[in-house]
Amino acid sequence: MKKIAFPKEEKAAIVARLQQYFSDELDQTIGALPAEFLLDFFTTEIGPHFYNQGLRDAHAALMAKMEDFGEAIYLLEKEEVSHSPSGKR
């Protein structure tokens, strides 16, 4: 699996959100570097679980759409005219 990575600006925004969460919810301050380490931990250790669930959800959605396509194709089928063995209709 390809390593989960965020662009520099996005990573900085996530780190700021972690810092805000610690302040608002835990009444604690966390520096940028510890917040970045925490983000790296979540990304490495927990991120694959979310990533894999996203893949499973996408697969299920795709399979449902494929089933819809199968039904749509079935509805487009024309009734076939059967011919008698003698060639007469």
Side-chain angles (χ1 to χ4, degrees):
M1 181 179 105
K2 183 179 170 185
K3 183 180 177 209
I4 299 171
F6 300 103
K8 187 176 168 181
E9 298 81 20
E10 191 174 353
K11 187 171 187 174
I14 296 170
V15 165
R17 300 251 344 245
L18 283 170
Q19 290 176 297
Q20 190 64 49
Y21 176 82
F22 268 73
S23 176
D24 294 347
E25 302 296 327
L26 305 174
D27 224 9
Q28 296 182 12
T29 57
I30 183 173
L33 192 56
E36 194 169 325
F37 287 152
L38 185 59
L39 175 60
D40 290 342
F41 170 78
F42 285 148
T43 302
T44 303
E45 299 297 324
I46 299 169
H49 297 281
F50 287 101
Y51 179 84
N52 291 339
Q53 184 60 50
L55 287 178
R56 286 189 290 273
D57 292 346
H59 182 259
L62 179 61
M63 294 307 291
K65 289 295 179 187
M66 292 300 293
E67 190 173 307
D68 290 345
F69 282 128
E71 289 174 17
I73 289 170
Y74 175 76
L75 292 173
L76 292 173
E77 286 185 5
K78 305 290 184 198
E79 186 176 328
E80 295 179 18
V81 178
S82 54
H83 300 282
S84 63
S86 65
K88 295 182 183 177
R89 290 188 193 190

